Amino acid sequence: MKNIPLILMGCGGVGRQLLQHIVSCRSLHSTQGLCLRVVGVGDSTSLLVSDDLLHKGLDDTVLLQLCRVKSAGESLSKLCDFGEGRAFGHPESEGKILEIASQLGRKTGLVLVDCSASFDTVVVLKQAIHMGCCAVLANKKPLTSSMEDFKKLFTYPRHIRHESTVGAGLPVIASLNRIICSGDPVHQIIGSLSGTLGYVMSEVEDGKPLSQVVKDAKSLGYTEPDPRDDLGGMDVARKALILARILGHQINLDSIQIESLYPKEMGPDIMTVEDFLDRGLSLLDKDIQARVEKAASNGNVLRYVCVIEGSRCEVGIQELPKNSPLGRLRGSDNVLEIYTRCYSKQPLVIQGAGAGNDTTAAGVLADIVDLQDLFS
Ligand SMILES: NC(=O)c1ccc[n+]([C@@H]2O[C@H](COP(=O)([O-])OP(=O)(O)OC[C@H]3O[C@@H](n4cnc5c(N)ncnc54)[C@H](OP(=O)(O)O)[C@@H]3O)[C@@H](O)[C@H]2O)c1
Ligand SMILES: *[C@@H]1O[C@H](CO)[C@@H](O)[C@H](O)[C@H]1NC(C)=O
């Protein structure tokens, strides 16, 4: 039996779903000769660690109990009463992760799984990779800070996986890496990588006012609590940056041109969310509708996409042919068109749900299993 020890950083929606997937896949993995051993789980304030790092992970009953405790909004440290494992507080926990990394990294191997939404994990990740550990990320932030950090994380490219950072569980990164390593030059990537903005653009195409569509999207649970976090385009820009860097572009977030769907005067530092939804948004309806109509008169539709072509990397609204994979997009799916030498007239198209705890966690789990050859 092959053992894969791992530490999970972050147990929010995605992290908890991952733990549940790991537990429910026990028998499947065991038929494949695999055992995923969760030796530690951390949140923003604490870290719970198995008593016997070398021989066993946290028990499945503890992992499931942990999910219940976190779902109820409580802290991980509450589990200390549970009798198994030890909890460490902040900032002690960072040192503890590195201690385990140095203990297991070159001995049994260790995967650090980043399901947090924090900038802070990059410090630990870089050092752990240096100690022979592997990293699996759903968190985009470590890959979208400095180019120097990005390079350090990719010191051993076979030791890092991050499929869920772009398009959640969709095989975007894996497909792109296969294209790149076969020497097939990528001419252009154009993609709708936000479920929220995909939904918004296809609804305004039907003539509905932007203000109404955004409110609908919010009540359907498609948006962040403050929809401006989606409408500003920053999340799409982070995904675009990851794709561009994989293609070899040594660029930073600030070199990406980002079109925000709301003006600076309606920013979070000037307007409350309520004001934005009640008064601000409706001021934008007319302009968007005019753009939709202009596009329609050319037989086109508007989509909020990232475009990576040559050294250009842009994020914003583009007019696209109605009869194309992106033009046909309805609802909240992600759609990515990749144009290469092999896929020149007809692009390679990747489409499907690009968000959700379940698919995202499934992508993370597949990444972990994909590292199995590095373990014994
Ligand atoms: N949900 C999706 O559909 C989706 C899709 C693709 C990618 N992602 C990415 O997946 C990641 C997780 O998403 P989510 O929806 O699960 O987020 P979330 O519910 O906000 O959970 C974040 C978790 O990270 C923990 N955390 C914060 N700072 C930390 C630190 N320094 N060290 C360790 N843990 C820390 C938080 O701790 P507390 O519990 O103490 O606050 C929380 O448990 C994000 O980066 C997100 O962008 C999500
Ligand atoms: C993801 O999990 C969080 C926390 O449990 C929950 O609030 C949210 O509704 C879930 N999202 C989806 C799309 O299921």
Side-chain angles (χ1 to χ4, degrees), residues 119-361:
F119 285 103
D120 302 337
T121 53
V122 69
V123 181
V124 172
L125 288 170
K126 281 189 298 184
Q127 293 191 51
I129 280 173
H130 196 66
M131 294 167 176
C133 298
C134 295
V136 169
L137 289 78
N139 182 10
K140 293 173 274 290
K141 288 177 179 155
L143 297 176
T144 52
S145 50
S146 72
M147 197 57 221
E148 192 190 342
D149 279 351
F150 184 85
K151 282 185 182 158
K152 285 211 173 114
L153 291 173
F154 278 85
T155 308
Y156 308 103
R158 305 297 297 165
H159 285 211
I160 180 163
R161 296 285 190 281
H162 58 99
E163 189 57 82
S164 295
T165 55
V166 181
L170 295 176
V172 172
I173 306 296
S175 306
L176 205 52
N177 278 329
R178 289 179 64 88
I179 288 169
I180 293 166
C181 73
S182 68
D184 186 12
V186 177
H187 302 313
Q188 191 194 44
I189 297 178
I190 173 162
S192 176
L193 296 175
S194 156
T196 313
L197 292 170
Y199 172 83
V200 166
M201 296 314 290
S202 69
E203 292 289 296
V204 294
E205 183 189 332
D206 296 343
K208 293 185 196 151
L210 177 73
S211 53
Q212 190 53 51
V213 171
V214 171
K215 281 180 216 158
D216 292 348
K218 185 170 159 66
S219 57
L220 285 168
Y222 286 169
T223 70
E224 295 292 330
D226 184 342
R228 284 170 294 189
D229 290 343
D230 300 294
L231 301 176
M234 187 50 85
D235 188 60
V236 177
R238 284 191 193 284
K239 293 172 182 169
L241 179 61
I242 291 172
L243 295 177
R245 284 178 167 179
I246 295 177
L247 293 182
H249 300 187
Q250 308 216 2
I251 59 169
N252 291 319
L253 208 49
D254 57 19
S255 35
I256 298 181
Q257 203 182 311
I258 308 171
E259 177 184 355
S260 169
L261 290 193
Y262 65 87
K264 277 198 194 68
E265 306 84 74
M266 298 185 191
D269 40 351
I270 300 176
M271 257 187 197
T272 63
V273 191
E274 291 73 27
D275 269 356
F276 176 70
L277 289 169
D278 294 342
R279 298 186 299 106
L281 254 178
S282 53
L283 300 174
L284 307 174
D285 286 346
K286 253 205 184 132
D287 179 51
I288 261 290
Q289 210 46 54
R291 286 175 79 176
V292 167
E293 280 160 20
K294 184 170 165 289
S297 68
N298 299 329
N300 292 334
V301 293
L302 299 182
R303 292 290 178 258
Y304 193 96
V305 290
C306 75
V307 182
I308 304 164
E309 186 175 21
S311 60
R312 184 168 72 105
C313 184
E314 288 172 12
V315 168
I317 293 182
Q318 298 269 338
E319 209 175 297
L320 297 167
K322 202 176 167 62
N323 188 24
S324 68
L326 275 161
R328 283 189 293 270
L329 168 62
R330 309 293 310 165
S332 64
D333 268 3
N334 280 191
V335 174
L336 203 81
E337 299 178 4
I338 304 176
Y339 295 85
T340 72
R341 186 193 65 226
C342 294
Y343 304 99
S344 57
K345 287 241 167 54
Q346 292 297 326
L348 172 69
V349 179
I350 301 167
Q351 170 164 13
N357 299 327
D358 193 354
T359 45
T360 307

Side-chain angles (χ1 to χ4, degrees), residues 8-16 42-46 70 74 90 94 114-121 138-141 164-168 235 239 354-357 359-360:
L8 172 63
M9 299 189 283
C11 43
V14 174
R16 295 201 293 271
D43 61 12
S44 63
T45 57
S46 32
K70 288 299 297 182
E74 292 176 88
H90 200 70
E94 229 170 65
D114 187 350
C115 290
S116 78
S118 165
F119 285 103
D120 302 337
T121 53
N139 182 10
K140 293 173 274 290
K141 288 177 179 155
S164 295
T165 55
V166 181
D235 188 60
K239 293 172 182 169
N357 299 327
T359 45
T360 307

